[in-house]
Amino acid sequence: MFRDLRHAVRSLRRTPWFTATAIVILALAVGAATAVFSLLYALVLRPLPVPGVHELVQVTIRDTAGRTGDLTWRQFREFSRNQQVFSALLASLQQSVLTVETEQASERASVSGVSGNYFVELGAEPTLGRLIGPSDDDLTAMTAAPVAVISWTFWQRRYAGDPAVIGRSIKAEGVPLTIIGIAPRGFLGLGITIEPDISIPISLMPELLKSEASMVDGTSSWVATTGRLLHGVTLESARAQIEAMWPRVLSDAAPEKDLTTQRKDYFARRVVVESGAFGVERGLRSRYAQPLYALLAIATLVWFTAAANLCSLIFTRTDARRHELGVRLALGSSRARLIRELTAEGLLLGCVGTVTGLVFAAWASRGLTTLLLQDYAVRTSLDVGPDRIIVGVAAVGGIGMAVAVTALAASIVTRSHSGLLSPGGTRTLARSSRVGKVLVGVQVALSIVLLTHTALLVRNVYGITTPPTGMTNDPVVIAFPTERVGAYKNLNPAAYYPQAIERVLRVPGVTAAAFSSMKPEGGSPAPEPVGRVGTATGENEVTADWPLVSPGFFTTVGVSIVRGRDFTYADNESSRRVTILSQSLERRLFGEGRGMGEHVRISRQPGWQDVAVVGIASDARVYDVRRGNMSIAYTPSIQSGARAHYKFLVARAPASASAGIEQAIDALGFEFIHKMQTLEYVRGRTILQERVMATVGGFFGVLALLLVSAGVYGLLSYALSLRRKEIGIRMALGARARGIGQAMLVESLMVTIAGISIGLIGAVASVRLLAGVLVAIGPFDPVAMGGACVMLLGVTTIGALAPAIRAARVEPLSELRRD
């Protein structure tokens, strides 16, 4: 075997272009498929690394609009009292980004609230000290010891791994906590992307979040609930029992205050019971599952296209060595030995190509992860490195592809001893030429499917971004303010807003500024029902966004007031509730131009059941360029009490003004700016999913075009080497050089057209896979399909030109003197 490998190394070194091309083809195929599948596995398919993971069950609620959320504290309490299907019930509140103060400095850190049995049920052992236990947290009474467990990463970053950290004090939102232990290294709990910097008893979270009233009285859904099934209880039986007890839980856990207009929605909520093996980050998994499956399908097409190209390449090289192989057979070498030596070449190519591909996959998957998670407010730690199973499958696929192709080529070429030694080997050459055409046709067919999918993804991004947003094209920056510890207790929004805006407007370069509750990074509160006053609740309602904005917001972002007036600071908590409707919402509620002076109810909240319409704003896709629902009911921030604190600052200014804006807000002493982004960047982030798919799909499409072009070039070059004598005779008998070149071009076009025809059938059948990720166009877009066909025809024509030109330049006399 070692002798065969040494011979393979010498043979491959004699043909460096072939060797390099084969390795690159294998590396790209293996790397592309492995990178996409690694990301899919890490984000969607991989279960949590905890003991008995498949015994975990997630319990959530779903409202009448189909939105999924967590349980309220009162629901969790009643549920835990009455359930009989779980041996343990875990409560958690993940990924709250809060201000944390240590002895060294203050920073924004991720804080997770966990029940007393959280760590022990997930099999965690402390690195140092102890972890939060049942004695630290009493969920029934909502009392807890002021203790904290810090992550291994936070311990290293903030305390340099000092073991004396146990017993020290740390503050979260001004609340003093005692460090009792260090969590295991890399412990993510029920999450998949974030290692919580600090974990505290969940009963402390209402105090830290300054939301004791809503979090305790049952109006806020915030308790992520995970159960561990009793021995012998199945998920199906647990679901049946929980659904049967749910109406009683809803009744006993109803909020203490009168539900009024929210009563119907509250009792319409239903419980959802599903596997908890994949953690609590449902949004992240559901957002990227379908796009990643689509990219995996495209990567698979690249794999098969590369396999066809590699097959064509190896068949051509092996057939070109016919004379060498024939001589060796004549000198006594056995056919089995030749096949073994050629297969050793494939093994060597497969090993080098696969290893190179795995290195590329590791780099590409990390790059994609960074792109997807770069806007998280805290550090992320998603592990996307290929595990042993993925590496094993990739190695078997890459090496197996190379070995199988070389073994098949060696078997076919060495089948006829006489054909190897005969001058020209006409029968074998003809058969090999036919095989080459079939392989190129397969490449073209696979490529047209792949290119169609890629063209659809690119067209989708273009379709999303092309329509006007209805906003200014001037530079706009968005600032993310954070409360200084305890500052909001003494903050009056009605006084603070105009003062803050005035200071920001003094910054050089700032021409307009305002506050808004609209979240730039997505994930804003779900739309609320809006209806006409005078109609019954639940009738003639429209689902609309409900942002809070300060005076000047419309001027800042460039949305025009088409009728009526803008908000003023006189629209405060003591004045009548007012709203400005978008044109789409006005049209749906009252008809075109009929909304001014009317009254609407917004959401189910009692204070917003009679709101006067004082203005109509033009439709705008404010931050999200994907926005389809243009129905928006804007209301003044300072009419919303404490809700006004949850806001973002928007300023029409260049990015160079960011430092001045930060200083202006900081000088007031209530808030500091922890992050700033440009509006252009925010808009781009809203279509990140589509952009990533189009970018990765575009890379795969370009790769497919290169492979097909190389395949056509190789086929015609090989055909030319076989037919040079024939062409010389034809030219000696009067055939024109131009006609010879055109014939070869026509031959390549016939193979291409046949492949495109077959590929289009596959494309039409498979584009339905993209239906769920295409927002702006349909899956059967003729422009995308036509563009893919034209592009492929153009590339194959370019690949055929060089061999066709060489055929036209054959010298008849030189060819006739051969042999």
Side-chain angles (χ1 to χ4, degrees):
M1 186 62 183
F2 291 108
R3 181 180 176 184
D4 294 334
L5 288 174
R6 286 197 301 270
H7 182 274
V9 171
R10 289 196 300 270
S11 177
L12 292 174
R13 286 176 62 184
R14 288 197 297 267
T15 54
W17 282 108
F18 163 81
T19 304
T21 303
I23 289 174
V24 169
I25 290 172
L26 267 171
L28 290 174
V30 170
T34 305
V36 174
F37 186 76
S38 296
L39 191 56
L40 173 66
Y41 182 69
L43 280 175
V44 180
L45 301 177
R46 182 168 58 202
L48 298 171
V50 301
V53 65
H54 295 291
E55 298 172 357
L56 299 180
V57 172
Q58 191 78 28
V59 181
T60 56
I61 56 175
R62 188 164 294 159
D63 62 15
T64 53
R67 298 172 295 197
T68 300
D70 295 318
L71 274 63
T72 67
W73 170 70
R74 293 170 65 89
Q75 288 169 348
F76 177 86
R77 185 183 63 182
E78 297 302 323
F79 178 66
S80 60
R81 286 174 180 172
N82 296 292
Q83 68 85 20
Q84 298 179 350
V85 295
F86 299 128
S87 61
L89 206 59
L90 287 68
S92 60
L93 176 58
Q94 305 283 323
Q95 302 171 13
S96 296
V97 183
L98 305 177
T99 301
V100 172
E101 299 170 86
T102 65
E103 298 165 359
Q104 292 82 10
S106 175
E107 66 175 284
R108 298 287 286 176
S110 62
V111 179
S112 176
V114 300
S115 55
N117 60 349
Y118 186 84
F119 285 103
V120 66
E121 286 295 331
L122 297 183
E125 296 291 339
T127 300
L128 198 66
R130 69 176 181 89
L131 303 177
I132 293 170
S135 61
D136 297 312
D137 185 59
D138 184 354
L139 262 174
T140 302
M142 285 297 282
T143 58
V147 295
V149 171
I150 62 176
S151 70
W152 187 92
T153 303
F154 187 84
W155 179 45
Q156 296 295 320
R157 184 178 76 245
R158 185 53 67 190
Y159 296 99
D162 183 3
V165 70
I166 304 300
R168 289 187 186 177
S169 180
I170 189 173
K171 289 185 178 181
E173 295 296 323
V175 177
L177 304 167
T178 301
I179 300 174
I180 60 172
I182 313 298
R185 184 174 185 175
F187 180 75
L188 304 183
L190 293 173
I192 61 172
T193 60
I194 294 178
E195 181 183 10
D197 292 317
I198 300 171
S199 297
I200 64 171
I202 193 171
S203 298
L204 286 177
M205 291 303 290
E207 181 181 357
L208 264 64
L209 297 176
K210 310 298 188 295
S211 302
E212 290 94 336
S214 64
M215 293 178 74
V216 175
D217 69 11
T219 59
S220 176
S221 299
W222 60 281
V223 183
T225 305
T226 304
R228 186 178 290 279
L229 291 171
L230 284 166
H231 180 70
V233 178
T234 65
L235 177 61
E236 290 71 23
S237 61
R239 181 181 291 117
Q241 293 185 50
I242 292 171
E243 289 176 349
M245 65 180 288
W246 186 244
R248 179 183 172 187
V249 170
L250 274 177
S251 177
D252 293 345
E256 295 175 346
K257 68 179 183 180
D258 185 13
L259 286 172
T260 60
T261 57
Q262 301 180 60
R263 176 174 294 275
K264 181 178 178 181
D265 289 342
Y266 176 82
F267 285 101
R269 295 174 182 176
R270 58 189 181 88
V271 67
V272 178
V273 182
E274 55 194 354
S275 172
F278 301 99
V280 296
E281 294 187 53
R282 298 180 298 271
L284 185 66
R285 291 184 184 273
S286 61
R287 179 181 180 186
Y288 288 109
Q290 191 169 11
L292 286 173
Y293 276 119
L295 285 180
L296 184 61
I298 294 176
T300 303
L301 287 175
V302 171
W303 178 282
F304 284 112
T305 304
N309 191 277
L310 185 66
C311 190
S312 176
L313 193 65
I314 290 176
F315 262 89
T316 300
R317 179 176 183 269
T318 306
D319 205 57
R321 299 171 63 187
R322 292 174 61 259
H323 187 68
E324 170 201 338
L325 299 175
V327 170
R328 293 182 62 189
L329 282 171
L331 293 176
S333 291
S334 67
R335 180 168 176 260
R337 178 168 184 77
L338 294 181
I339 293 175
R340 193 169 65 244
E341 288 181 354
L342 292 173
T343 303
E345 294 182 15
L347 177 63
L348 200 58
L349 287 173
C351 289
V352 176
T354 298
V355 170
T356 306
L358 290 173
V359 172
F360 169 70
W363 171 81
S365 56
R366 289 194 187 96
L368 286 172
T369 304
T370 301
L371 180 62
L372 295 176
L373 304 180
Q374 64 179 320
D375 273 342
Y376 274 49
V378 292
R379 294 171 179 83
T380 58
S381 54
L382 180 65
D383 178 17
V384 293
D387 65 6
R388 287 177 295 178
I389 296 177
I390 296 176
V391 169
V393 172
V396 170
I399 297 172
M401 179 201 301
V403 169
V405 170
T406 49
L408 180 62
S411 177
I412 291 175
V413 172
T414 61
R415 183 175 298 167
S416 173
H417 188 172
S418 60
L420 287 168
L421 290 174
S422 62
T426 307
R427 184 174 300 175
T428 305
L429 297 179
R431 181 170 61 244
S432 299
S433 182
R434 288 197 299 272
V435 170
K437 289 180 181 178
V438 170
L439 290 174
V440 171
V442 169
Q443 290 181 59
V444 171
L446 291 172
S447 296
I448 200 64
V449 177
L450 194 155
L451 285 172
T452 299
H453 288 201
T454 299
L456 286 170
L457 295 175
V458 173
R459 285 263 301 152
N460 184 51
V461 172
Y462 178 78
I464 293 171
T465 56
T466 299
T469 62
M471 296 176 62
T472 180
N473 291 320
D474 292 344
V476 173
V477 294
I478 303 168
F480 294 67
T482 298
E483 174 196 14
R484 294 192 179 280
V485 176
Y488 285 168
K489 292 180 180 179
N490 303 313
L491 179 64
N492 177 11
Y496 176 72
Y497 270 45
Q499 185 181 11
I501 295 300
E502 182 184 357
R503 281 183 174 268
V504 171
L505 288 174
R506 294 176 189 168
V507 175
V510 177
T511 57
F515 287 108
S516 167
S517 68
M518 302 184 82
K519 192 173 182 181
E521 295 175 338
S524 297
E528 297 284 353
V530 179
R532 300 173 58 174
V533 170
T535 60
T537 300
E539 296 181 4
N540 302 317
E541 290 183 340
V542 172
T543 299
D545 288 347
W546 182 24
L548 312 179
V549 301
S550 72
F553 172 79
F554 298 100
T555 300
T556 303
V557 298
V559 176
S560 59
I561 303 292
V562 295
R563 289 190 302 280
R565 66 173 178 86
D566 194 355
F567 297 132
T568 69
Y569 287 109
D571 297 316
N572 53 39
E573 284 193 279
S574 61
S575 66
R576 180 177 181 79
R577 299 288 172 92
V578 295
T579 183
I580 295 175
L581 306 181
S582 67
Q583 287 178 297
S584 290
L585 184 54
E586 177 199 34
R587 206 160 33 242
R588 295 173 68 186
L589 287 175
F590 304 104
E592 187 73 41
R594 300 179 181 178
M596 279 296 301
E598 296 287 348
H599 293 253
V600 298
R601 59 175 184 276
I602 303 175
S603 80
R604 298 285 188 262
Q605 296 187 22
W608 295 89
Q609 299 305 297
D610 187 358
V611 184
V613 179
V614 297
I616 305 297
S618 61
D619 289 336
R621 298 184 290 167
V622 180
Y623 296 138
D624 189 351
V625 296
R626 296 179 56 186
R627 177 185 295 275
N629 180 16
M630 296 286 193
S631 297
I632 306 175
Y634 303 92
T635 57
S637 297
I638 57 178
Q639 284 194 335
S640 302
R643 287 180 63 213
H645 296 323
Y646 302 97
K647 61 189 179 300
F648 304 90
L649 174 67
V650 186
R652 188 182 291 196
S656 58
S658 298
I661 294 173
E662 291 181 16
Q663 293 171 6
I665 296 297
D666 185 71
L668 293 172
F670 293 97
E671 300 173 309
F672 64 92
I673 303 299
H674 74 270
K675 183 168 61 174
M676 296 196 74
Q677 295 174 343
T678 65
L679 178 59
E680 182 182 10
Y681 176 80
V682 167
R683 287 172 175 168
R685 287 292 298 176
T686 61
I687 57 168
L688 175 62
Q689 173 181 309
E690 289 77 11
R691 284 171 49 222
V692 169
M693 291 189 68
T695 301
V696 177
F699 170 77
F700 291 159
V702 171
L703 176 58
L705 289 174
L706 292 175
L707 291 175
V708 170
S709 178
V712 171
Y713 175 83
L715 173 67
L716 293 187
S717 295
Y718 179 54
L720 175 60
S721 69
L722 301 181
R723 299 172 57 187
R724 291 184 70 90
K725 193 166 188 177
E726 171 201 338
I727 292 172
I729 294 172
R730 291 174 60 189
M731 294 180 73
L733 294 175
R736 299 177 59 189
R738 178 179 295 181
I740 297 293
Q742 289 175 347
M744 294 201 72
L745 277 177
V746 169
E747 183 179 351
S748 72
L749 288 176
M750 293 299 292
V751 173
T752 302
I753 291 171
I756 287 176
S757 301
I758 297 171
L760 280 175
I761 298 173
V764 170
S766 62
V767 289
R768 291 182 177 87
L769 295 172
L770 296 179
V773 298
L774 298 177
V775 178
I777 60 172
F780 301 102
D781 183 60
V783 175
M785 291 188 177
C789 293
V790 170
M791 193 178 303
L792 197 56
L793 276 172
V795 168
T796 53
T797 301
I798 292 172
L801 276 176
I805 292 172
R806 290 208 309 271
R809 292 177 177 175
V810 167
E811 291 290 339
L813 292 178
S814 299
E815 297 302 324
L816 290 175
R817 290 193 186 103
R818 294 193 182 208
D819 298 329

Coordinates of all heavy atoms in Angstrom, one line a residue, residues 96-111 150-151 153-159 170-174 195-198 377-379 482-485 672-674:
S96 N -31.2 38.8 30.1 CA -31.5 40.2 30.4 C -30.1 41.0 30.5 O -29.2 40.6 31.2 CB -32.2 40.3 31.8 OG -33.4 39.6 31.7
V97 N -30.0 42.0 29.7 CA -28.8 42.8 29.6 C -28.9 44.0 30.6 O -29.7 44.9 30.4 CB -28.5 43.3 28.2 CG1 -27.2 44.0 28.2 CG2 -28.5 42.1 27.2
L98 N -28.1 43.9 31.7 CA -28.3 44.9 32.8 C -26.9 45.5 33.1 O -25.9 45.1 32.6 CB -28.8 44.2 34.0 CG -30.1 43.4 33.9 CD1 -30.5 42.7 35.2 CD2 -31.3 44.3 33.4
T99 N -27.0 46.6 33.8 CA -25.8 47.3 34.2 C -25.2 46.6 35.5 O -25.9 46.5 36.5 CB -26.1 48.8 34.6 OG1 -26.6 49.4 33.4 CG2 -24.8 49.5 35.0
V100 N -24.0 46.1 35.4 CA -23.4 45.4 36.5 C -22.1 46.2 36.9 O -21.3 46.6 36.1 CB -23.0 44.0 36.0 CG1 -22.1 43.3 37.0 CG2 -24.2 43.2 35.7
E101 N -22.0 46.3 38.2 CA -20.9 47.1 38.8 C -20.0 46.1 39.6 O -20.5 45.5 40.6 CB -21.4 48.2 39.7 CG -22.2 49.2 39.0 CD -22.9 50.2 40.0 OE1 -22.2 51.2 40.3 OE2 -24.0 49.9 40.4
T102 N -18.7 46.0 39.3 CA -17.8 45.3 40.1 C -16.8 46.3 40.8 O -17.0 47.5 40.6 CB -17.0 44.3 39.2 OG1 -16.2 45.1 38.3 CG2 -17.9 43.4 38.5
E103 N -15.9 45.8 41.5 CA -14.9 46.7 42.2 C -14.1 47.4 41.1 O -13.5 48.5 41.4 CB -14.0 45.8 43.1 CG -14.7 45.1 44.2 CD -13.9 44.1 44.9 OE1 -12.7 43.9 44.4 OE2 -14.4 43.4 45.8
Q104 N -13.9 46.8 39.9 CA -13.1 47.4 38.9 C -13.8 48.4 38.0 O -13.3 49.5 37.8 CB -12.5 46.3 38.0 CG -11.5 45.4 38.7 CD -12.2 44.3 39.5 OE1 -13.4 44.1 39.4 NE2 -11.4 43.6 40.3
A105 N -15.0 48.1 37.6 CA -15.7 49.0 36.6 C -17.1 48.6 36.5 O -17.6 47.7 37.2 CB -15.0 48.8 35.3
S106 N -17.8 49.4 35.7 CA -19.3 49.2 35.4 C -19.4 48.8 34.0 O -18.7 49.3 33.1 CB -20.1 50.4 35.7 OG -21.4 50.2 35.3
E107 N -20.3 47.8 33.7 CA -20.4 47.4 32.3 C -21.8 46.8 32.1 O -22.5 46.5 33.0 CB -19.4 46.3 31.9 CG -19.5 45.0 32.7 CD -18.5 43.9 32.2 OE1 -18.8 43.4 31.1 OE2 -17.5 43.7 32.9
R108 N -22.2 46.6 30.8 CA -23.4 45.9 30.5 C -23.1 44.4 30.4 O -22.2 44.0 29.7 CB -24.0 46.4 29.1 CG -24.3 47.9 29.1 CD -25.6 48.2 29.9 NE -26.8 47.8 29.2 CZ -28.0 47.8 29.7 NH1 -28.2 48.2 30.9 NH2 -29.0 47.4 29.0
A109 N -23.9 43.6 31.1 CA -23.6 42.2 31.1 C -24.9 41.4 31.1 O -26.0 42.0 31.4 CB -22.9 41.8 32.4
S110 N -24.8 40.2 30.7 CA -26.0 39.3 30.6 C -26.3 38.7 31.9 O -25.4 38.1 32.6 CB -25.8 38.2 29.5 OG -24.8 37.4 29.9
V111 N -27.5 38.9 32.4 CA -27.9 38.4 33.7 C -29.1 37.4 33.5 O -30.1 37.7 32.8 CB -28.4 39.5 34.7 CG1 -28.8 38.9 36.0 CG2 -27.2 40.5 34.9
I150 N -21.2 33.6 39.0 CA -20.7 34.2 37.8 C -20.2 33.1 36.8 O -19.8 32.1 37.3 CB -19.6 35.3 38.1 CG1 -18.4 34.6 38.8 CG2 -20.2 36.4 39.0 CD1 -17.2 35.6 39.1
S151 N -20.1 33.5 35.6 CA -19.6 32.5 34.6 C -18.1 32.4 34.6 O -17.4 33.3 35.1 CB -20.1 32.9 33.2 OG -19.4 34.1 32.8
T153 N -16.2 32.6 32.1 CA -15.6 33.6 31.2 C -15.6 35.0 31.9 O -14.6 35.7 31.8 CB -16.4 33.7 29.9 OG1 -16.4 32.5 29.3 CG2 -15.8 34.8 29.0
F154 N -16.7 35.3 32.6 CA -16.7 36.6 33.4 C -15.7 36.6 34.5 O -15.0 37.6 34.7 CB -18.1 36.8 33.9 CG -18.4 38.1 34.6 CD1 -18.7 39.2 33.8 CD2 -18.2 38.3 35.9 CE1 -18.9 40.5 34.4 CE2 -18.4 39.5 36.5 CZ -18.8 40.6 35.8
W155 N -15.5 35.5 35.1 CA -14.5 35.3 36.2 C -13.1 35.6 35.7 O -12.3 36.3 36.3 CB -14.6 33.9 36.8 CG -13.6 33.6 37.9 CD1 -13.3 34.4 38.9 CD2 -12.9 32.4 38.0 NE1 -12.4 33.7 39.7 CE2 -12.1 32.5 39.2 CE3 -12.8 31.2 37.2 CZ2 -11.3 31.4 39.6 CZ3 -12.0 30.2 37.7 CH2 -11.3 30.3 38.8
Q156 N -12.8 35.1 34.5 CA -11.5 35.3 33.9 C -11.3 36.7 33.4 O -10.2 37.3 33.6 CB -11.2 34.3 32.7 CG -11.2 32.8 33.1 CD -10.0 32.5 34.0 OE1 -8.9 33.0 33.8 NE2 -10.3 31.7 35.0
R157 N -12.4 37.3 32.8 CA -12.3 38.6 32.2 C -12.2 39.7 33.2 O -11.4 40.6 33.1 CB -13.5 38.8 31.3 CG -13.4 40.1 30.5 CD -14.6 40.3 29.6 NE -15.9 40.6 30.2 CZ -16.9 39.8 30.3 NH1 -16.9 38.6 29.7 NH2 -18.0 40.2 30.9
R158 N -13.0 39.6 34.3 CA -13.2 40.7 35.2 C -12.3 40.5 36.5 O -11.8 41.4 37.1 CB -14.6 40.8 35.6 CG -14.9 42.0 36.5 CD -14.5 43.3 36.0 NE -15.2 43.7 34.7 CZ -14.8 44.6 34.0 NH1 -13.7 45.3 34.2 NH2 -15.5 45.0 32.9
Y159 N -12.0 39.2 36.8 CA -11.3 38.9 38.1 C -10.0 38.2 37.8 O -9.3 37.8 38.8 CB -12.1 38.1 39.1 CG -13.3 38.9 39.5 CD1 -14.6 38.7 39.0 CD2 -13.2 39.9 40.5 CE1 -15.7 39.4 39.4 CE2 -14.3 40.6 41.0 CZ -15.6 40.3 40.4 OH -16.7 41.0 40.9
I170 N -21.0 42.2 44.3 CA -21.2 42.7 43.0 C -22.6 43.3 42.9 O -23.5 42.9 43.6 CB -21.0 41.6 42.0 CG1 -21.0 42.1 40.5 CG2 -22.1 40.5 42.1 CD1 -20.7 41.0 39.5
K171 N -22.8 44.4 42.1 CA -24.1 45.0 42.0 C -24.7 44.8 40.6 O -24.0 45.0 39.6 CB -24.0 46.5 42.3 CG -23.7 46.8 43.8 CD -23.7 48.3 44.0 CE -23.5 48.6 45.5 NZ -23.5 50.1 45.7
A172 N -26.0 44.5 40.5 CA -26.7 44.5 39.3 C -27.9 45.4 39.4 O -28.7 45.2 40.3 CB -27.2 43.0 39.0
E173 N -27.9 46.4 38.5 CA -28.9 47.5 38.6 C -29.0 48.1 40.0 O -30.1 48.4 40.5 CB -30.2 47.0 38.1 CG -30.3 46.6 36.7 CD -30.1 47.7 35.7 OE1 -30.5 48.8 36.0 OE2 -29.4 47.5 34.7
G174 N -27.8 48.2 40.6 CA -27.7 48.8 42.0 C -28.1 47.9 43.1 O -27.9 48.3 44.3
E195 N -23.4 32.6 27.1 CA -23.0 32.1 28.4 C -23.4 33.3 29.4 O -22.7 34.3 29.4 CB -21.5 31.8 28.4 CG -21.0 31.3 29.7 CD -19.5 31.1 29.7 OE1 -18.9 31.5 28.8 OE2 -19.0 30.5 30.7
P196 N -24.4 33.1 30.2 CA -24.8 34.2 31.1 C -23.6 34.7 32.0 O -23.0 33.8 32.6 CB -25.9 33.7 31.9 CG -26.4 32.5 31.1 CD -25.3 32.0 30.4
D197 N -23.3 36.0 32.0 CA -22.3 36.5 32.8 C -22.6 36.2 34.3 O -21.7 35.9 35.1 CB -22.0 37.9 32.6 CG -21.5 38.2 31.2 OD1 -20.6 37.5 30.8 OD2 -21.9 39.2 30.5
I198 N -23.8 36.5 34.7 CA -24.2 36.3 36.1 C -25.6 35.6 36.1 O -26.5 35.9 35.4 CB -24.4 37.7 36.7 CG1 -23.1 38.5 36.7 CG2 -24.9 37.6 38.2 CD1 -23.2 39.9 37.1
A377 N -26.1 42.3 22.2 CA -25.6 43.3 23.1 C -24.5 42.7 24.1 O -23.8 43.5 24.7 CB -26.8 43.8 24.0
V378 N -24.4 41.4 24.1 CA -23.4 40.8 25.0 C -22.7 39.7 24.1 O -23.1 39.4 23.0 CB -24.1 40.1 26.2 CG1 -24.6 41.1 27.2 CG2 -25.1 39.1 25.8
R379 N -21.6 39.2 24.7 CA -20.8 38.2 24.0 C -21.6 36.9 23.7 O -22.3 36.5 24.6 CB -19.5 37.9 24.7 CG -18.6 39.1 24.9 CD -17.5 38.8 25.9 NE -16.5 39.9 26.0 CZ -16.8 40.9 26.8 NH1 -17.8 41.0 27.5 NH2 -15.9 41.9 26.8
T482 N -29.0 53.8 28.0 CA -29.1 52.9 29.2 C -29.3 53.7 30.4 O -28.5 54.7 30.6 CB -27.9 52.0 29.2 OG1 -27.9 51.2 28.1 CG2 -28.0 51.0 30.5
E483 N -30.1 53.3 31.3 CA -30.4 54.0 32.6 C -29.2 53.9 33.5 O -28.6 52.8 33.6 CB -31.6 53.4 33.3 CG -31.8 54.0 34.7 CD -32.8 53.1 35.5 OE1 -33.1 51.9 35.1 OE2 -33.3 53.6 36.5
R484 N -28.8 55.0 34.1 CA -27.8 54.9 35.2 C -28.6 54.3 36.4 O -29.8 54.6 36.5 CB -27.3 56.3 35.5 CG -26.4 56.8 34.4 CD -25.6 58.0 34.8 NE -24.8 58.5 33.7 CZ -23.6 58.0 33.3 NH1 -23.1 57.0 34.0 NH2 -22.9 58.5 32.3
V485 N -27.9 53.6 37.2 CA -28.6 52.8 38.3 C -29.5 53.7 39.1 O -29.1 54.7 39.7 CB -27.5 52.2 39.2 CG1 -28.2 51.5 40.3 CG2 -26.7 51.2 38.4
F672 N -26.7 56.8 29.8 CA -25.5 56.8 29.0 C -25.8 56.0 27.7 O -26.7 55.2 27.7 CB -24.3 56.3 29.7 CG -24.4 54.9 30.1 CD1 -23.9 53.9 29.3 CD2 -24.9 54.5 31.3 CE1 -24.0 52.5 29.6 CE2 -25.0 53.1 31.7 CZ -24.5 52.2 30.8
I673 N -25.1 56.3 26.7 CA -25.3 55.6 25.4 C -24.3 54.4 25.3 O -23.1 54.6 25.4 CB -25.0 56.6 24.2 CG1 -25.9 57.8 24.3 CG2 -25.2 55.8 22.9 CD1 -27.4 57.5 24.3
H674 N -24.9 53.2 25.2 CA -24.0 52.1 25.2 C -23.7 51.6 23.8 O -22.9 50.7 23.6 CB -24.6 50.9 26.1 CG -25.7 50.2 25.5 ND1 -27.0 50.6 25.7 CD2 -25.8 49.1 24.6 CE1 -27.9 49.8 25.1 NE2 -27.2 48.9 24.4

